[in-house]
Amino acid sequence: MQRLGVNVDHVATLRQARKTTYPDPVTAAALAELAGAGQITIHLREDRRHIQERDLKVLRETVQTLLNLEMAATQEMVKLAYEYKPDLVTLVPERREELTTEGGLDVTSQKDAIGKVVKNLKDGDIVVSLFIDPDLDQVKMAHRVSADRIELHTGRYCEAHSEKERQRELSRIVDAAKAATKLGMGCAAGHGLNYDNVRPIARIAEIDELNIGHAIVGRAVLVGFDRAVREMVELLRAP
Ligand code: PXP
């Protein structure tokens, strides 16, 4: 079974809506781990709209599985990564006005800048993943800049308007995952995955990690965190 990375950003979104101290993403992370999550994922955004530096600090102390920090490729964030030493850093593009991460990193056009940040992080013994679209040129470039892993953006697959389009996007993900494996990189996937669309992605043998946030937190509000995570884990386990 793939490792399920539960992204707890939107627990923090609910907290920040009122600037209260609850609900605490740290509690959600502990419940997620007890329910079978193999990783906790957070995105510390420049505008701090959900996850705060305090969450990163406390989660670093409390997460029992793996802590995956999604972050922009900036010097400010590299400094924080060095301070808190997450098990994995996933570099993502970030624009202030976007609702969520809208596309993958364009490694091809920012080869030197991204390569520098990857090297910087790896020098600090941090495993580095690049969040990219399922595009073979991007996969090759991720390898060229010495990324340990990639995470494939599944947004277009999830938002496909027809079965034909969905199958086409699925093939792009399969091809990109195979290419990454051939090049010796680990391969994750995420963005937009939910209880209805996760199965075909979960069956791709080359993908060893899935990061899922909004759908799990959305269900947790209604049925509880434990059940929401267990139901996703069951879907990943099913043959
Ligand atoms: N993976 C990455 C790199 C992301 O940026 C996000 C969104 O924060 C996710 C996975 C999770 O996406 P979703 O909340 O749609 O499940």
Side-chain angles (χ1 to χ4, degrees):
M1 183 191 120
Q2 287 142 331
R3 173 164 87 233
L4 172 63
V6 175
N7 181 317
V8 294
D9 289 354
H10 295 306
V11 178
T13 300
L14 202 54
R15 178 190 62 191
Q16 297 310 114
R18 286 285 179 93
K19 301 272 190 299
T20 47
T21 53
Y22 65 86
D24 193 336
V26 175
T27 312
L31 291 170
E33 288 186 312
L34 289 171
Q39 170 169 299
I40 299 301
T41 297
I42 52 173
H43 185 177
L44 183 64
R45 295 184 77 104
E46 187 197 11
D47 63 12
R48 304 292 193 266
R49 68 172 75 155
H50 39 51
I51 292 294
Q52 307 295 305
E53 197 177 324
R54 168 267 178 197
D55 303 324
L56 170 59
K57 178 174 188 286
V58 181
L59 284 167
R60 177 61 299 180
E61 288 170 9
T62 57
V63 165
Q64 304 292 308
T65 54
L66 298 170
L67 181 62
N68 173 24
L69 174 64
E70 295 175 2
M71 58 177 237
T74 63
Q75 275 317 305
E76 182 219 342
M77 287 308 306
V78 169
K79 230 174 107 197
L80 287 174
Y82 262 75
E83 188 173 345
Y84 295 109
K85 292 278 162 102
D87 300 289
L88 170 67
V89 157
T90 303
L91 295 177
V92 299
E94 205 173 286
R95 284 200 308 273
R96 266 177 186 265
E97 64 278 15
E98 69 190 356
L99 274 182
T100 178
T101 316
E102 281 163 7
L105 270 180
D106 187 356
V107 194
T108 318
S109 72
Q110 305 169 72
K111 179 165 100 9
D112 294 341
I114 292 174
K116 216 168 120 189
V117 173
V118 171
K119 182 177 183 314
N120 222 324
L121 290 165
K122 287 180 69 165
D123 285 348
D125 284 332
I126 297 169
V127 178
V128 186
S129 179
L130 301 183
F131 186 46
I132 57 174
D133 289 327
D135 174 291
L136 293 180
D137 289 336
Q138 298 290 348
V139 176
K140 285 180 207 152
M141 201 49 81
H143 180 250
R144 182 91 63 86
V145 299
S146 303
D148 300 296
R149 308 177 52 75
I150 57 165
E151 177 172 339
L152 296 171
H153 195 305
T154 49
R156 283 171 72 169
Y157 158 80
C158 296
E159 284 153 23
H161 294 297
S162 65
E163 192 46 37
K164 197 171 157 205
E165 192 187 339
R166 182 167 292 222
Q167 288 308 321
R168 194 171 55 232
E169 292 303 327
L170 186 60
S171 318
R172 293 179 69 213
I173 293 167
V174 171
D175 292 348
K178 283 190 194 304
T181 307
K182 246 192 201 153
L183 290 167
M185 293 185 292
C187 184
H191 201 94
L193 295 174
N194 62 35
Y195 297 83
D196 297 320
N197 63 23
V198 75
R199 289 287 300 281
I201 302 291
R203 283 198 215 103
I204 302 172
E206 288 79 7
I207 293 178
D208 63 9
E209 169 197 335
L210 293 180
N211 290 299
I212 308 180
H214 192 264
I216 292 177
V217 175
R219 184 168 291 212
V221 170
L222 303 176
V223 305
F225 229 88
D226 183 78
R227 186 166 145 193
V229 173
R230 279 183 205 279
E231 286 178 2
M232 188 57 82
V233 168
E234 270 170 34
L235 285 173
L236 303 195
R237 277 209 187 115

